[in-house]
Every structure is written in structure tokens, then in C-alpha cells.
Amino acid sequence: MINTEAIVAKPTLTGERVELVPLGPRHADATYQSLQDAEVLRLTGTHAVFTRAQIERWCATRAEQTDRIDLVVEDRQTGEYLGELSLNEIDGDNESAGFRIALNSEHLGRGLGPEATRLILKYAFDAIGLHRVRLEVFSFNERAIRSYEKCGFVREGRMRDALLWDGERYDTLIMGMLRDELR
């Protein structure tokens, strides 16, 4: 049985270098700007173009969601917006959820992603009581794959030619982690 109050609570989680804070209206500018970053769009496979108004609505409604947690990754010292992450499609019956993270391209390769990932996974397993967390990552994103494996995710499957980006097709890897696999 999962703790639904831990989902509704939208926690703030503090690590050594990052702090995860609930995504809200004050993050609309930074969120919109991150969606102008061509590398963020490529790494997330985002083809859609979002208007400023759409992003404002998205940020304004995150607190009321009962099947997901959307958090901003901030620099703990400066409060700078580094990116965002979410636990989504939280399934209480099966004690499972999806996970995704998107850091702005200038913050990649600094170990911030694994730190943020471990913080939310610890919350997912310990506070919410999930048994399993899954994610999808494109086969060309080797840095993210290494990062996920470093955290304890295991490759479970492959969806062939799942992404069409700039005329090239790429596989999507499916990765998962069980509660006792968190590193």
C-alpha cells in the first residue's frame, strides 16, 4: 500500500549540491526557457512547441496533481533553475511509477542528475512506498544511460525505432529499478 499523502505533499528534498522543490507558477519563465534549448528538446524527444501560456498553466496546476510529483532541480547555493524531474503515472495498485528528468544542457556532466535522481528515488521508495520505478531513455543518450545505471537502474527492454529525430530513427531503452536496487 502506498502513502498517497506523500504524493499530495509535493516535498522539498535537499542534497549536497541540489535541492528539489515543487514546480509552481514562479518557475514558468525558467521552464519556458528550458524548452527553447535545442539539446533539451533532442534528449527528451520533444517535438511539440509550447506557448508561454501553456507553460504557465502547466506550472500553475502541478500542486493539485494526485498521480504525479513534479519538482524543479535547483542549485542549492544559488537557487538557480537547473532543470526539472517528475515521478509520473504513479500506480498505487502496483506500487510503481514512471520517472523522467531533464537538466538544462549547460548543467550536464556535473553529476547533478544522479544526485537529483537519488533524492527523488529515495523519496519514492521510502516515503511513498513504491516497489518499482521505470524510465525510458533514447539509445543515443549514453551519458544518461550511464547515469541511470550508476543509480541502480537496469535495462529491461528496447523499443526499436521509437524516435524519429531529424530524419534519423533511434531506439528507446526501457529501464527499471526495484526498491532494493537503489544505490
Side-chain angles (χ1 to χ4, degrees):
M1 182 67 111
I2 67 167
N3 178 0
T4 56
E5 290 178 18
I7 300 167
V8 173
K10 312 301 185 218
T12 294
L13 306 171
T14 303
E16 284 185 36
R17 297 181 297 155
V18 302
E19 187 164 64
L20 308 182
V21 300
L23 177 65
R26 73 180 178 97
H27 301 108
D29 285 334
T31 301
Y32 181 77
Q33 287 306 313
S34 72
L35 291 168
Q36 309 312 304
D37 183 333
E39 186 66 359
V40 168
L41 299 178
R42 184 179 80 88
L43 294 175
T44 59
T46 303
H47 291 287
V49 175
F50 298 98
T51 67
R52 170 84 177 151
Q54 287 172 312
I55 297 305
E56 287 174 356
R57 276 192 302 279
W58 174 261
C59 292
T61 59
R62 299 304 85 204
E64 59 198 53
Q65 305 304 306
T66 60
D67 66 340
R68 61 184 295 134
I69 298 174
D70 295 282
L71 302 175
V72 169
V73 182
E74 292 182 343
D75 182 290
R76 185 170 168 210
Q77 299 302 315
T78 67
E80 179 186 3
Y81 179 101
L82 306 175
E84 49 84 27
L85 59 75
S86 70
L87 282 177
N88 51 41
E89 300 175 359
I90 298 173
D91 178 348
D93 293 332
N94 294 302
E95 300 175 340
S96 68
F99 169 72
R100 66 174 200 71
I101 183 170
L103 294 181
N104 291 351
S105 59
E106 68 267 20
H107 301 298
L108 298 175
R110 298 174 37 205
L112 302 171
E115 181 178 344
T117 299
R118 285 187 190 101
L119 284 171
I120 193 61
L121 289 172
K122 183 167 178 27
Y123 189 81
F125 293 130
D126 295 347
I128 299 174
L130 294 178
H131 175 72
R132 174 182 161 71
V133 175
R134 70 188 175 288
L135 63 83
E136 295 179 1
V137 60
F138 300 118
S139 57
F140 63 76
N141 195 347
E142 294 177 18
R143 180 187 344 228
I145 294 165
R146 284 191 308 273
S147 174
Y148 297 139
E149 289 175 337
K150 186 176 178 181
C151 291
F153 280 95
V154 176
R155 296 180 199 206
E156 297 180 334
R158 176 181 296 267
M159 294 186 293
R160 298 173 300 145
D161 289 351
L163 174 69
L164 177 61
W165 195 264
D166 286 340
E168 299 279 332
R169 296 196 183 277
Y170 299 95
D171 293 354
T172 297
L173 302 181
I174 301 163
M175 302 180 80
M177 181 188 302
L178 305 180
R179 181 181 310 179
D180 62 355
E181 295 171 335
L182 180 62
R183 295 186 189 141

